[in-house]
Amino acid sequence: MTFQLILNLLIGVIWMFLSESYSFASFIVGFVIGAALLYLLNRFIPDSYYFKHVRAILYLIFLFIKELLLANIEVLKWVYKPRLDFQPGILALPIDVKKNWEITLLANLITLTPGTLSVDVSRDQRYIYIHAIDLPDVNETIVSIKESFEKAIREVTR
């Protein structure tokens, strides 16, 4: 991935010099041409195409923004209800991510989403303990987190 990015940046700079236009727009044109060339010649380069990771990162960011907005709306509904009828609870989320920074990212995404809080990570790093304001179905919550945040993190890192 690093080799392709450096090569793409180099193609952008070379394009700038060849076109004798030393502007940011000229660099971007060269960068786009380099990205297209790398995509077309990808089968000759041993690494995977690095834009795949960029797309996965953007997906993770948009997923978090979507979950953040939906969770804020849900918390707002609870605040304005005349009767508090939610079911708070703590659950143990089994995790498939292994690296420390992946676990930290998952725990922070959970904590930053209103209505949930990452309480602790087990010593063997196989579970994250989560407190949720409303926990009607533990299994549904586990599947929801694993299919959204954890899956998106795995796509970014693998």
Side-chain angles (χ1 to χ4, degrees):
M1 182 171 110
T2 307
F3 170 73
Q4 288 184 2
L5 179 61
I6 292 171
L7 186 61
N8 200 0
L9 291 172
L10 185 62
I11 291 171
V13 171
I14 290 171
W15 178 265
M16 234 173 40
F17 287 123
L18 289 176
S19 65
E20 295 181 4
S21 173
Y22 308 108
S23 66
F24 184 70
S26 178
F27 173 76
I28 292 297
V29 168
F31 187 82
V32 169
I33 290 171
L37 284 174
L38 284 173
Y39 181 74
L40 292 174
L41 301 173
N42 191 32
R43 63 183 172 165
F44 302 113
I45 300 173
D47 295 334
S48 65
Y49 188 58
Y50 76 95
F51 267 163
K52 179 179 87 171
H53 295 287
V54 172
R55 188 173 42 236
I57 290 169
L58 290 175
Y59 173 74
L60 179 62
I61 291 169
F62 286 121
L63 174 69
F64 174 67
I65 291 170
K66 179 192 90 163
E67 292 293 330
L68 181 69
L69 291 173
L70 293 175
N72 273 310
I73 292 169
E74 200 62 34
V75 169
L76 188 66
K77 288 178 188 175
W78 292 329
V79 168
Y80 284 112
K81 275 187 179 178
R83 209 175 103 211
L84 300 177
D85 58 351
F86 50 84
Q87 302 167 351
I90 294 180
L91 66 103
L93 174 72
I95 55 175
D96 297 325
V97 290
K98 301 297 179 204
K99 297 176 184 168
N100 285 337
W101 73 273
E102 293 172 333
I103 296 170
T104 303
L105 179 61
L106 178 59
N108 285 334
L109 289 174
I110 291 168
T111 297
L112 290 172
T113 306
T116 56
L117 174 69
S118 299
V119 179
D120 195 13
V121 177
S122 65
R123 290 195 188 275
D124 60 0
Q125 295 184 337
R126 293 178 49 210
Y127 296 94
I128 295 179
Y129 298 100
I130 302 169
H131 178 272
I133 289 178
D134 191 23
L135 196 60
D137 186 9
V138 174
N139 291 330
E140 180 183 323
T141 304
I142 289 173
V143 169
S144 171
I145 292 172
K146 289 184 84 53
E147 288 298 316
S148 60
F149 287 139
E150 190 173 11
K151 182 178 177 184
I153 290 171
R154 282 195 317 266
E155 287 176 10
V156 168
T157 60
R158 296 178 184 146

